[in-house]
Structure formats: structure tokens, C-alpha cells
Amino acid sequence: MRLAPGARRYAFAPLLVAVPALVVAPPVGFVCLLLSLAVLAFFRDPERTPPARGVVSPADGRVSVVREEDGRVRVGVFMNVTDVHVNRAPVAGTVDSVTHRPGAHRPAFSKESDRNERVDVALDGTEVSLIAGWFARRIHPSVAAGESVDRSERIGHISFGSRADVLLPATYSMDDVRVEEGDRVWAGESVVARSRE
């Protein structure tokens, strides 16, 4: 099973405690062992195959935001604790910039999360925002300015949270959106928008 970077570091601490605890205090050791396995499952990184065309979801989860802002369309995906937290490029192109913005750590499903800590990846007119939540404190982009990426290629992951948004180019309208709030989507595979052209 492929794992996102950092998985072994987070899983090692409870595993280290589990080994002696299984001898001295078996219930504690068992809980630590389960915690270590849960961390590894959380950091799983399965392969994905994109469809022939369309803007694909940057994250696994449920669509939590579909709105127009300043003449552009934003689609946000909330990642639950059981979802894969590896984020993928919604379109192919060249990375224009990767910008870290400090901020709050509100729950990612709340309206206040727009002011949360984030990393914005600008990609040929499309912007992907990896947004931390109340528990997630580590955003790990895996691309840099000037790099070329394919659609559905890995661009980063968020340790233990929370939301990923795609801000579509101005050429897209609400009529081009193929999802609604509450829909289940998969990173790199589910089409969130497709031009009618």
C-alpha cells in the first residue's frame, strides 16, 4: 500500500508505545496498536485514473461549497476523517505559484473556514486551495512553481484534515459545474466541472 509522506513518522510513536504496553498493560498496548494502524490507513495513497475530460476533484470527500465569487466559480470538498487526504491536480498545466497563507483553524465545514490557514496552488488560471481545519495543522504541498503537472497528479496532502477547493477560470460558469453540495467525489477521478464547448 502506497502511503503519503509523513505516515511512518505519525504511526511510529503509538507503535513504539504499543510494543512494551502489550506486555505490561495489554489494553493500552492494543489501543496504541490500533491507533498506529488507523494512522497508516489515514495516510493511504491509492492510484487514480482520470476520465477523458473535465476538471476533476482535488480531494476525496463531499462537496461542501458550490458558489460564484468575483465572477468565478468555487467548488469545495470537505474531507472526512475516513477519506483519503492526498490532493490532486484538477487540470493539467504549469504551476504558477505555491503560496502559504497563515490563518485560523476553524472547522473546515464552517463558513469561518474561509479565513483558515491554507496553501494556494495556482495552475494555469485554476487555483487549488488546501485548507486546514480545527485539527489539521500540517499542509504538505508536493509541487513548486515552474513544475508541469498532469491532471489527477498528486500535488500535496493535508495531515488529518480538512478541505480542498478549486477556483475555476472565469471561462467556466455555474452551468459548467457537474456536482452539487452533498455529492460524494473522489480525487483525480470525479468530474466537478466540464465546459459545454
Side-chain angles (χ1 to χ4, degrees), residues 32-48:
C32 289
L33 186 60
L34 285 179
L35 181 60
S36 183
L37 293 174
V39 168
L40 291 176
F42 187 89
F43 278 84
R44 68 197 183 280
D45 182 8
E47 294 297 327
R48 297 291 166 87

Side-chain angles (χ1 to χ4, degrees), residues 17-144:
V17 173
V19 174
L22 283 169
V23 176
V24 179
V28 173
F30 185 68
V31 168
C32 289
L33 186 60
L34 285 179
L35 181 60
S36 183
L37 293 174
V39 168
L40 291 176
F42 187 89
F43 278 84
R44 68 197 183 280
D45 182 8
E47 294 297 327
R48 297 291 166 87
T49 304
R53 42 186 302 259
V55 178
V56 294
S57 175
D60 281 20
R62 293 210 177 266
V63 176
S64 59
V65 174
V66 178
R67 68 172 180 244
E68 277 190 282
E69 52 183 60
D70 300 324
R72 296 176 69 182
V73 176
R74 178 179 296 276
V75 177
V77 178
F78 174 72
M79 294 174 276
N80 203 334
V81 68
T82 57
D83 291 316
V84 172
H85 282 66
V86 173
N87 304 117
R88 293 176 178 268
V91 296
T94 301
V95 177
D96 299 315
S97 64
V98 178
T99 308
H100 174 261
R101 288 197 287 166
H105 290 93
R106 307 281 186 199
F109 51 81
S110 71
K111 291 184 178 179
E112 291 81 17
S113 66
D114 288 341
R115 295 190 293 274
N116 278 10
E117 178 181 358
R118 65 180 57 212
V119 170
D120 295 320
V121 179
L123 180 63
D124 281 356
T126 301
E127 186 175 292
V128 183
S129 296
L130 310 180
I131 305 169
W134 70 272
F135 186 68
R137 301 299 168 111
R138 296 285 185 272
I139 304 172
H140 308 277
S142 57
V143 293

Side-chain angles (χ1 to χ4, degrees), residues 171-189:
T171 53
Y172 285 82
S173 70
M174 290 294 283
D175 291 337
D176 298 316
V177 176
R178 297 291 182 264
V179 292
E180 298 177 350
E181 290 185 14
D183 286 355
R184 183 91 173 99
V185 292
W186 287 267
E189 292 186 338

